[in-house]
Amino acid sequence: MEDINNSYLSFKVGSETFAIHVGRVNEIREYEAPRNMPESISFMAGVIDHRDEVIPVIDTGVKFGMNPIEVTPLTCIIIIDVKRKDDISSFRMGILADAVTDVFEAVEEDFKNIHNDYSPNYIQATININEHFYLILNSDEVFSVNEIISLCKEVEEIKKQ
């Protein structure tokens, strides 16, 4: 991880607990229904306004090959920064989570790295802390270049309306 900060935000998607480096987290928001996008990518729940910016919201359950997120009072949208693979820029997106669980400290030496041939490659490691098992996400690997291009195109279409 590029940041010297060793904090990770953990969140639930179905029965699994994922974690992402806090350096990639922009904000945690209460759930608000995203604006639907006709003919959008299957895992895109819609778009929301975030600080004068239109950003896509991803149903992490669908994206991760699990059940779609069911909205409850604990459901939230985590705004994250993702680096584009096709250039040096980054963009913001929202990911749906069943709940945010906690923030924990860990150093990379504590992680059990996952072999490069494992698919999906966006799960870079696991860690077990106090009998809690976490899947550590690499947010830059969650989306393919084509998915990022498609997401950006859909957001641009919304901005034109």
Side-chain angles (χ1 to χ4, degrees):
M1 313 270 159
E2 70 239 19
D3 294 39
I4 57 172
N5 183 332
N6 294 319
S7 298
Y8 292 82
L9 175 75
S10 66
F11 58 95
K12 297 287 275 183
V13 177
S15 61
E16 299 297 333
T17 305
F18 294 87
I20 187 170
H21 193 273
V22 295
R24 294 306 181 100
V25 177
N26 191 279
E27 182 178 338
I28 302 168
R29 294 174 58 152
E30 286 186 30
Y31 176 80
E32 64 181 89
R35 195 163 118 199
N36 288 330
M37 294 286 302
E39 299 182 36
S40 66
I41 303 167
S42 63
F43 55 80
M44 187 170 159
V47 295
I48 59 171
D49 288 322
H50 174 70
R51 298 183 184 167
D52 298 326
E53 183 180 5
V54 175
I55 62 169
V57 176
I58 304 307
D59 186 321
T60 48
V62 174
K63 176 60 182 160
F64 296 165
M66 304 164 72
N67 292 327
I69 298 289
E70 289 187 37
V71 178
T72 70
L74 295 176
T75 303
C76 61
I77 300 173
I78 303 168
I79 309 298
I80 64 170
D81 294 317
V82 177
K83 289 183 183 171
R84 292 180 60 138
K85 294 177 190 167
D86 57 338
D87 64 28
I88 59 169
S89 68
S90 65
F91 67 99
R92 288 203 173 101
M93 72 169 44
I95 57 173
L96 289 178
D98 287 314
V100 166
T101 52
D102 64 359
V103 173
F104 64 89
E105 297 287 321
V107 292
E108 282 193 53
E109 293 79 36
D110 296 335
F111 295 152
K112 292 182 182 168
N113 288 322
I114 294 179
H115 299 291
N116 291 339
D117 58 351
Y118 176 76
S119 181
N121 62 343
Y122 53 81
I123 299 175
Q124 72 182 38
T126 64
I127 191 168
N128 197 338
I129 299 175
N130 299 326
E131 299 187 30
H132 288 90
F133 183 77
Y134 301 95
L135 298 167
I136 307 298
L137 287 179
N138 178 344
S139 61
D140 296 336
E141 296 294 330
V142 173
F143 303 98
S144 70
V145 171
N146 289 341
E147 289 172 334
I148 290 172
I149 291 168
S150 295
L151 286 168
C152 290
K153 282 182 183 176
E154 291 196 31
V155 168
E156 288 305 315
E157 286 300 314
I158 283 288
K159 289 178 180 177
K160 293 177 186 176
Q161 295 177 1

